[in-house]
mmCIF file of all heavy atoms in Angstrom:
data_model
loop_
_atom_site.group_PDB
_atom_site.id
_atom_site.type_symbol
_atom_site.label_atom_id
_atom_site.label_comp_id
_atom_site.label_asym_id
_atom_site.label_seq_id
_atom_site.Cartn_x
_atom_site.Cartn_y
_atom_site.Cartn_z
ATOM 1 N N SER A 1115 241.061 110.345 244.396
ATOM 2 C CA SER A 1115 240.464 111.022 243.242
ATOM 3 C C SER A 1115 240.250 110.063 242.075
ATOM 4 O O SER A 1115 239.379 110.275 241.229
ATOM 5 C CB SER A 1115 241.333 112.195 242.805
ATOM 6 O OG SER A 1115 242.592 111.703 242.371
ATOM 7 N N GLY A 1128 229.403 106.132 223.298
ATOM 8 C CA GLY A 1128 229.444 106.466 221.875
ATOM 9 C C GLY A 1128 229.195 105.270 220.991
ATOM 10 O O GLY A 1128 228.352 104.419 221.249
ATOM 11 N N MET A 1133 227.608 99.600 219.396
ATOM 12 C CA MET A 1133 228.007 98.390 218.656
ATOM 13 C C MET A 1133 228.004 97.152 219.572
ATOM 14 O O MET A 1133 227.546 96.079 219.184
ATOM 15 C CB MET A 1133 229.394 98.565 218.034
ATOM 16 C CG MET A 1133 229.409 99.500 216.833
ATOM 17 S SD MET A 1133 228.389 98.905 215.490
ATOM 18 C CE MET A 1133 229.298 97.477 214.990
ATOM 19 N N ALA A 1134 228.503 97.304 220.798
ATOM 20 C CA ALA A 1134 228.493 96.191 221.740
ATOM 21 C C ALA A 1134 227.061 95.790 222.073
ATOM 22 O O ALA A 1134 226.737 94.594 222.163
ATOM 23 C CB ALA A 1134 229.253 96.570 223.007
ATOM 24 N N GLY A 1138 225.501 92.116 221.063
ATOM 25 C CA GLY A 1138 224.922 91.285 222.121
ATOM 26 C C GLY A 1138 223.475 90.952 221.859
ATOM 27 O O GLY A 1138 223.032 89.812 222.056
ATOM 28 N N THR A 1188 227.598 20.790 215.576
ATOM 29 C CA THR A 1188 228.424 19.645 215.220
ATOM 30 C C THR A 1188 228.817 18.850 216.456
ATOM 31 O O THR A 1188 229.087 17.674 216.372
ATOM 32 C CB THR A 1188 229.710 20.129 214.508
ATOM 33 O OG1 THR A 1188 230.395 21.041 215.377
ATOM 34 C CG2 THR A 1188 229.368 20.818 213.211
ATOM 35 N N PRO A 1210 215.428 20.405 255.045
ATOM 36 C CA PRO A 1210 216.731 21.082 255.075
ATOM 37 C C PRO A 1210 217.858 20.068 255.255
ATOM 38 O O PRO A 1210 217.700 19.065 255.947
ATOM 39 C CB PRO A 1210 216.624 22.024 256.267
ATOM 40 C CG PRO A 1210 215.539 21.462 257.114
ATOM 41 C CD PRO A 1210 214.605 20.727 256.191
#
Side-chain angles (χ1 to χ4, degrees):
S1115 64
M1133 287 298 292
T1188 57

